[in-house]
Amino acid sequence: MSLVLFDDAIKHLLRISRLIKQPRSNALLVGVGGSGKQSLTRLAADILKNVCYQIILTKNFSEKDLKEEIKKLFDWAGHLGKQVTFILTDSEVKKEEFLEYINMILSTGEVAGLLAKDEKEVWLADVRNDYVKEKQLGNIDPPQSDLYAYLVDRIRDNLHIILCFSPVGQKFRDRSRKFPALFNECTIDWFLPWPEAALVSVAETFIKNFKELDTTNDIKEELMKHMGNVHIMVNSVCELYFQKMRRQVYVTPKSYLSYLNSYKELYLKKYAELDLQENSYKIGLNKINEAAKQIEKMGVSLREEEAQLKEASEKTEKLLEDLEKESKKANQKNDEVEATTAQCMKQAQMIASEKQAAEKDLAAAMPALIRAQEAVDSLDKKDIDEMKAMKTLMDIMKAIIDSIVVYFMGKLLPVQSFTVKISKVDYQFLKDSFDEGGKSVLFDMNFLNKLKGFEKDGINEETIELLQPYMSQEWFSEEKAQSASKAAQGLLKWVKAIYEYHEKSKIVKPKKVYLQIQEGRLEVARKELAKAERDLNEIKEYLAKLKETFNKQMEEKSFLEQKSNKTKKRITTARQLIESLSDEKARWGQGATEIADQKRKLIGNCSLATSFISYCGPFNAEYRQLLAGDYFVNDQKRRGVPVTPGLNLTQFLVDDATVGEWNLQGLPKDELSIQNGIMVTNSTRYPLLIDPQGQGNYWIRQKFADKIEPFRCITTLNHPKFKDNFLKPCMQDGLCLIIENIENEVDPMLDPVLEKQIQVKAKKNKYIEVGGTQMDFDDGFKLFMFCRLANPTFSPELSAKTTIIDFTVTQGGLEQQLLGKVISKEQKALEDSLNQLLADVNQNKKDLQRLDKNLLERLTQSSGNLLEDEGLIEVLGSTKTQAKEVSVKLLDAEVKTREINEKREQYRPVAIRGSALYFTILEVSLINWMYNSSLEQFLKLFNDSIDQSERNTLPSKRVDNIIKYLTFYVYKYVNRGLFEKDKISFILMMCFKVKQTDKKINAGDVSQFLKSGAALDAKAEKQKPFQFLDEKQWLNILALSRHHFNGDQMAFFRDLPESISRNEQQWRQWNDRNDPENSPIPDFAERIAADKEIGPFISLCLVRSLKEDRTLVAATHFINATLGKEFTAPISYPIDSIWAESSKTDPVLFLLSAGADPTSSIDDLSRKKRKVFCEKVSMGEGQEEAARRVIKNGFETGMWVILQNCHLGLKFMEEIETIVNPEATINDDFRLWITCEQHPRFPLGLLQKTIKVTNEPPKGLKAGLYKTFTTIITQEFLEKVEHPNWRSLIYTICFLHSIVIERRKFGPLGWCVPYEFNNPDLEASLAFIEKYLNSFLSGPPSQSPNLNLNMNVIRYMICEVQYGGRITDDLDRELFNAYGEDYLKEAIFGNEYVIAEAPFDAGGGTKPTKFQYKIPATTQMPELIKYHDVIKQLPDIDNPEVFGLHVNADITFRKKESTEMIITIMDTRPKDSGGGGGKTREEIVQDKARELLAKLPSDYVDLEVREQVRKLAGPKNLPDKGLTVPLNIFLYQEIQRMQIVIAICRKTLSDVIDAIDGQIIMTPDILDAINSMYDAKVPLTWVYDATGVEISWILPTLGAWFSSLIDRNKQLNDWLKSNRPNHFWLGGFFNPQGFLTAVKQEVTRMHKGKPGDKDAWSLDDVVQSTQVKEREYEQIRDIQSEGVYVSGLSLEGCKWSRNGLDESEPKKMFAPLPILYVTAINKKKGADAEKNSSTYSCPVYKYPRRTDKYLICRVGLPCEGTGAHKWKLRGVALLCSTE
């Protein structure tokens, strides 16, 4: 158990703990539900280790079960001796009889007959040891009586009964009287409403440690104070709500705890949402910003890439130019190579031929060459080395070497002769050059190779020339050389061979040279060709390289282009993405900026939202706005709690898509209904819906259709198997349970479910223990309870356990629904398209939310660079595209919706009118419970009106036709079920509602009409300056002059007081007129006539202010101007039309008034339709089974059933609703007729499905006659009798019937007793006439029927028998006979006899004329329709003179009727609440009590009074004195009665003061006195005693009654102290009859004479004699010797003049009667003056209520020239009091 122990709670805990710790201590804890009574008791019991026990209720819990529970408690407390704490709450007291047992236990400690004898003996045996031990008896065996006493004492000591009761309602007070021990034997602890400190303390427990609350400690402190103040503010508004709306709402600490818990949950939820949203926004924005930065970087990269691309392009272009150039060169070169090749080929061919020739020549020289080669080959390295080894070469060797040097073109000495030795022979030769050149040649390492490779063809002629000297020497031979060395021989052989070769090749040589030249040329050419080919190849290679470079450059360029294009594309895509997200960026940016502020203000916003959900459900829209939009917000601002200004709670708590879905499921679209939907879905407690129209029920069924199985999930609490067949399966399967028809209470068995007392089993299965049964609980279980009552009275305990939500339809919400219905009938395609459009819009909104959410999710969930995630970009782009498409769809839908709505608006006036009419019907149900109707019935009327009204192609005309038909159709339907007194109120309310919805008048205007100047204080206003106006009229004028009609800036009648002052004469004449409503209003007529819309209403307000008695007539004019004359014309409802409207499942309910019985009409219709009578059951005790039987038979056979007097069988009426339902199998001919008197507990469901009909006579002669001639009188009835006077008698008797019925409206002036004359009286009278005439018609035909009619017989039968049988008052009998004398006479058979006449004002300023009520001529009236035409010509408003009354009678009647009408309408409207800061109701009453107590006369002391009376003398001629004088005895008796009244007043006033102070208990009498005094009424105990006998006098107001007490006491006191007065105020006596008797006794004693005197008077022979004296009170100086003067009498119905009775003055209802002399005369001496025709025997009454109870006597008043007959019809009487 989670408890917050603030100071008050700890104090209560200490009190309870101390109480249950003490023996024989019990407690009565008084406080509203949820204030902690049970919790603290359980805690205290646990602290003290007591057994804490509480009853577990079941549906059938009875007294027997209670006894078993008590036995269990006695077992623990007495038998076992345990300390037991027994908690009993209000909800556990299923029957008040339960408290009788508790009362016994508290009083005596035992319950008679609780224990069986054997059980008792067992218990006594078990406690014996404890008793012996405690009493220390040792072995003494105690008697059974002592043991039983000990057991009872133990029970009383150990059993602590803790009663937890609520002080709300009458039950608590009743229990204090019925069960005194509950209060006397218990210590009372009042759990008063939690103070602000306690509330703040509780809030502190929830908030202070709420670490997730993101705010400062200072704001936390202010928030906690605000939360505590919220509860207090709601409490104060509950009182205002009750005062104005008369709807009781309770808030309990549980509501407060629910508020706190909801706050934490909502704050965490909303904060998490904001946090997630903020993070999403930030991530999304970061992603977008990063993308923007990346775009910038990409732009830089793109610029670099573009520069590179440009450079590459330039290079490529240059390469392309080079390539082209080189290609051109290559082509040229190729051409050149080809030409050169061709030339070379030609030249090579030529050279080849020449070479062939040269080679032939060369072949001859080849042997020498071969020899040379051979010579060289013959040499080897050794030979040469040998030569080299020689130190000195021989000269031949040197010469050979020199020749070789020549060949090698080595260095030679200049030519000089030298002797050489060859073979020892000296020869002259040239100096050798061995040293200079030969040595180097010889010693060359490659010498031999050089020889071998010597270019033999390269020898020139110079070489040959240099060799010539050597070749010419003879010694230069091989032989000589051989001698020198082998090497020398070989070398010489080579030299010579080369020389020979040269010589032989000289021929070839030129050729060879030429050939060489040519070959050289060819070689050159070839070289050139090779070079060209090389150049070409180089060019080709270069070209290839260039091409390769170009290709690479092109590839690079292409790559750069692709890269650039890709970058451009990415930038374009990114920019498009950024641009497409620009709206989101701005929104997210703003959202991210605002979220911090939203988080800060979330503290106040969540408090506002949860307080709204927790507290505002039971209130209407106005008070919800007052609380949430004013009280709560202003307190937050005052305390500095952050809150969003103008926070829209609907948008804060639910999104548009969800609302749209709710609307599609059937939730009305108005703001109040959406708020209700939020409360239903967000409430932490199970909702209890006040749903009189069933719209909440329908929505819940649609919303949770998947969790509702009709046969398992929809039920009522009264279902016999509710727990097992509905509650249990729904709880365990997680279904929705709908409980319908909740009234003011819920079965306590449901408490564990409502309080969610969920427990967990070992296997973690949840369950709730209900009525002793464990029921599995599924978290998906939902419970919805529905109440059909419009204004239920739920207890505080139920308010604590549930969330009460007022689902009553609003006028705006119904208007929307009706608009849909009329469009669906008139423009079905339009409505279908709108519905589809709304469905699409709702789906599109959902899609938009989903896409937006997905967009953020994808952004927040993405990792890395946004622009690199192409898939994400694609998804984002797609999402954004879809979002745009959806947005476009929404915009298109908005346009289409606007277009459709423009077309629909043409039909809105129909919906506005329909809504206004329905709410008028709702308001009418506040007048009388029996007027309740359902929305379903109204919708049928609405649909029928659309179907049946005149068609027209023009919408505006069609709309007008529907409105006109609908208004009249609804009026007829409702009017049929209203009592006559309420019909005009209903029509006027309808007019007001129509005008208000059309914005022609406002609620303030209606209030001005109803209240006029009642709110003004006469003392604070300017004094009345006009004599012809009374105080009330003057205050009305002032109020009217200040009123602004329909919110106009200037008051319409602002100059009214000045206008009356300027034109007093005109206003006086207007005021004195009998029909001012038909006369132009001075100074304002033109302005009123100019305003066609509001003019009639303004006239009505003025008439109501100045001529209250004409209000109803003026209202009729207003109705005619607003709705039409047909709304005030008489309407008849034939029984066959009612039957045609009924069905087998729609019963007809006749609301009975006294004397009205529709049974015969129903029987007649049944015989006509079915040829059989109806089955009838008169309801009463034990008749239910008979009713079930006949209904069942009717279901099968189609028989009609009449259930009569159903107010005596209300329990069975509850069954009717379920018996007669569409699912039942019922014969189509079956009809159920119900007759019932009005009863406040008649089942609402049945009322809402029946066709209601009243059977009263309508108001007015015209309406009464019309109804008679459309229901009772038929064409067939007119033709029943052939007698010529038949029709005249029919019309006369029908006229008389209407006259005597309508006369009732004048109250006591009309009839002393308001007899319920009805149709059976008329039918019986007509039946008598029929038989009477038929009896004459069956006689001899020669007799004249006219002469045979005995009018005395007819008059007697009608006046004394048929109608007279009802009359109980003698004066009423005389009155009826007077009518008989006027109407039932032979003169009526004349042609168009004038049966009555009265002044008639046709209006329009014409002079009033006399309207003659004629009996239609029978010869001209063969058809019923002709009678209808005559009746329609009768005046709508009856002048009193047609009834024989003075025109003033109309003032009384109309004033009474107007007042009743105004009060009736006021009772249906919200009450004005007083301003704050004034005195409380109790303080006002207490001050008034003290004021009256101070004014109250002193008490009379009986001994002193008796003593003073003894001193009083008698009249002059009577020597008796003191208590022997009759009038003195009368005085003594009057003073005794006065003392009783004074004592009662003193005690009551003292008790009121003390009870308000809390010093004594508030008894019902004291409470009644407080209520009466507050309403300025007289407490009942001051007027009547406990038996209902009148003990004082009757006056309407407390002020008048108390003033009368002072005046009455003064008369008695003055008489007591100052002897007999000159005249007596007859109305000031308790017993005026006794006063007159005492006067007769005194006069009789004065004439008693001596014994045996024949002239002596006997009291039996004395009669009262009166005479009016033409003197005022002040003129009375002497006391009469006989008789007395009586004053204070007033004449009603006439005035007094010197000639006797005379017509009353206009507008004056009462006229004072001068001094009346009352004495006594001896009737034996003849005193017949009072019996002649010129004397009217006028009754004297104590009060205006003219009954035998208040009749004092009769006074003979002279009426010369008129006769008594006239004054009988006038209803003249004398009254002691006119109030």
Side-chain angles (χ1 to χ4, degrees), residues 423-437:
S423 301
K424 304 178 179 185
V425 176
D426 294 330
Y427 294 97
Q428 218 32 34
F429 196 62
L430 297 173
K431 177 75 171 153
D432 63 270
S433 300
F434 180 77
D435 291 332
E436 286 76 9

Side-chain angles (χ1 to χ4, degrees), residues 684 905 986 1096 1158 1630 1646:
T684 57
E905 285 302 308
F986 164 62
F1630 288 92
M1646 292 178 190

Side-chain angles (χ1 to χ4, degrees), residues 113 148 169 200 254 277 452 551 583 678 804 835 886 987 1004 1095 1109 1136 1281 1285 1314 1398 1425 1496 1627 1669 1721 1765:
Y148 184 72
V200 173
K254 279 193 178 178
Q277 198 172 23
K452 290 177 180 178
N551 289 335
D583 293 340
I678 291 171
I804 298 173
N835 291 334
V886 172
I987 309 172
D1109 58 297
D1136 53 349
V1281 181
N1285 297 333
I1425 190 68
L1496 196 66
K1669 300 291 185 181
I1721 59 173
H1765 181 82

Side-chain angles (χ1 to χ4, degrees), residues 214 251 382 397 499 538 1067 1207 1531 1699:
D214 186 9
V251 291
K382 185 173 71 170
M397 290 181 177
Y499 185 82
E538 287 177 1
W1067 281 99
H1207 51 281
L1531 172 63
N1699 296 324

Side-chain angles (χ1 to χ4, degrees), residues 1339-1358:
S1342 60
Q1343 295 180 353
S1344 170
N1346 268 348
L1347 298 177
N1348 289 334
L1349 285 181
N1350 189 333
M1351 297 308 295
N1352 288 329
V1353 172
I1354 293 176
R1355 196 160 42 242
Y1356 179 81
M1357 287 299 298
I1358 301 298

Side-chain angles (χ1 to χ4, degrees), residues 1480-1495:
T1480 65
R1481 180 173 178 273
E1482 286 73 18
E1483 288 173 340
I1484 293 171
V1485 171
Q1486 197 173 42
D1487 290 346
K1488 187 67 178 177
R1490 289 193 178 102
E1491 177 191 342
L1492 296 180
L1493 198 57
K1495 294 179 180 178

Side-chain angles (χ1 to χ4, degrees), residues 1707-1732:
K1707 316 297 181 187
K1708 292 185 178 180
M1709 300 305 303
F1710 303 100
L1713 183 73
I1715 289 292
L1716 182 68
Y1717 175 59
V1718 180
T1719 185
I1721 59 173
N1722 193 336
K1723 61 185 178 183
K1724 287 184 178 180
K1725 297 203 171 185
D1728 299 329
E1730 294 189 12
K1731 295 183 180 180
N1732 60 42

Side-chain angles (χ1 to χ4, degrees), residues 87-115:
I87 302 173
L88 184 68
T89 66
D90 278 309
S91 62
E92 287 149 9
V93 183
K94 289 193 74 173
K95 300 177 182 177
E96 289 299 297
E97 289 81 359
F98 285 9
L99 292 177
E100 186 61 48
Y101 295 99
I102 306 300
N103 193 68
M104 290 180 196
I105 298 170
L106 291 171
S107 302
T108 64
E110 57 183 320
V111 175
L114 183 67
L115 296 175

